[in-house]
Amino acid sequence: NAGVTQTPKFQVLKTGQSMTLQCAQDMNHNSMYWYRQDPGMGLRLIYYSASEGTTDKGEVPNGYNVSRLNKREFSLRLESAAPSQTSVYFCASDFRDSYTGELFFGEGSRLTVL
Amino acid sequence: AQKVTQAQTEISVVEKEDVTLDCVYETRDTTYYLFWYKQPPSGELVFLIRRNSFDEQNEISGRYSWNFQKSTSSFNFTITASQVVDSAVYFCALSNFALIYNQGGKLIFGQGTELSVKP
């Protein structure tokens, strides 16, 4: 059972470099999310996609872009990385129409921006 | 505005002790959901429970229990007879009713409480 798969798991970037975090889920979920986790701040929503073809900003969208490539995949792109984007990034998914409150999370991607 | 506060940053207990993790929330909505998630050292987040604002009954699941009190806006989590495997970061989270059924998992998370259970 793969669930939610994120790649890469670790990445070090220099300021100004770009990169894309990939996320794929195999549970046929409608909705997908990108959160970031910072010490003392819990998880904060960056962007989400309620269904294939739609994306919306969350609490902290600045400096990021997303693409819902298809129902399975939701990518997060940093166009010009900044040290403030050093964080652990989590992708998550769920069934929007029969919502139980159970988000399914990936294992996280640890990003360091120097 | 919605907000979740977990005032306890770190808690350390000895195995078999009971421990309560506090969660206080703020919301102007009359219908909302509260959640607890566990993040073990491996890093993934695991769903533990959801409680809606209509239901103030306490819930027990094995060694875990949850106390929801609307009067104090609290949703506390107690682990009875703690074990080393309970060591993790625990997050409390909040979402309102409309968001749940329209936009899914837009949760507001607390800062997390790191629980360390020593043998």
Side-chain angles (χ1 to χ4, degrees):
Chain A
N1 294 334
V4 178
T5 303
Q6 295 179 227
T7 56
K9 292 195 169 32
F10 299 94
Q11 184 73 50
V12 178
L13 292 176
K14 294 181 179 178
T15 297
Q17 288 185 320
S18 63
M19 76 159 297
T20 299
L21 297 175
Q22 307 284 357
C23 175
Q25 53 89 11
D26 61 1
M27 296 172 283
N28 201 35
H29 285 167
N30 308 96
S31 301
M32 299 184 73
Y33 314 84
W34 278 105
Y35 283 87
R36 61 178 286 175
Q37 181 180 9
D38 302 292
M41 302 190 74
L43 283 82
R44 293 179 293 169
L45 183 65
I46 306 171
Y47 269 94
Y48 68 99
S49 171
S51 61
E52 186 178 354
T54 68
T55 61
D56 284 288
K57 295 178 180 179
E59 182 183 356
V60 288
N62 291 344
Y64 305 95
N65 286 302
V66 291
S67 296
R68 184 72 182 267
L69 305 171
N70 48 56
K71 192 171 186 179
R72 292 187 62 250
E73 299 173 288
F74 189 39
S75 62
L76 178 72
R77 183 161 178 82
L78 287 70
E79 290 292 352
S80 178
S84 61
Q85 294 178 303
T86 293
S87 187
V88 181
Y89 292 85
F90 286 94
C91 179
S93 68
D94 68 5
F95 282 112
R96 177 171 58 97
D97 295 333
S98 57
Y99 189 62
T100 65
E102 184 173 2
L103 281 175
F104 292 80
F105 284 88
E107 294 181 349
S109 299
R110 186 175 294 275
L111 174 66
T112 301
V113 182
L114 302 176
Chain B
Q2 295 183 313
K3 184 179 180 181
V4 176
T5 301
Q6 295 178 253
Q8 302 152 309
T9 305
E10 297 179 6
I11 299 176
S12 182
V13 299
V14 177
E15 205 169 21
K16 298 185 182 178
E17 286 186 21
D18 298 347
V19 58
T20 295
L21 309 181
D22 297 333
C23 173
V24 175
Y25 62 92
E26 297 176 27
T27 181
R28 294 180 181 175
D29 299 312
T30 55
T31 54
Y32 50 89
Y33 287 90
L34 294 161
F35 307 84
W36 277 94
Y37 281 81
K38 175 182 180 180
Q39 185 179 39
S42 53
E44 79 279 13
L45 284 101
V46 178
F47 170 84
L48 294 178
I49 190 171
R50 178 188 82 161
R51 173 65 69 208
N52 71 53
S53 54
F54 305 120
D55 184 3
E56 288 193 68
Q57 284 190 351
N58 291 336
E59 180 148 345
I60 299 174
S61 176
R63 296 183 298 107
Y64 295 172
S65 62
W66 290 270
N67 184 336
F68 175 33
Q69 293 193 339
K70 290 180 73 172
S71 61
T72 56
S73 297
S74 65
F75 186 44
N76 295 338
F77 173 31
T78 297
I79 302 174
T80 303
S82 60
Q83 300 176 2
V84 172
V85 293
D86 295 326
S87 296
V89 180
Y90 291 87
F91 291 97
C92 181
L94 166 72
S95 187
N96 72 30
F97 187 84
L99 280 178
I100 290 287
Y101 285 96
N102 293 323
Q103 298 171 358
K106 287 182 69 176
L107 304 185
I108 305 298
F109 284 85
Q111 303 94 318
T113 296
E114 183 172 3
L115 174 65
S116 176
V117 181
K118 302 187 186 305

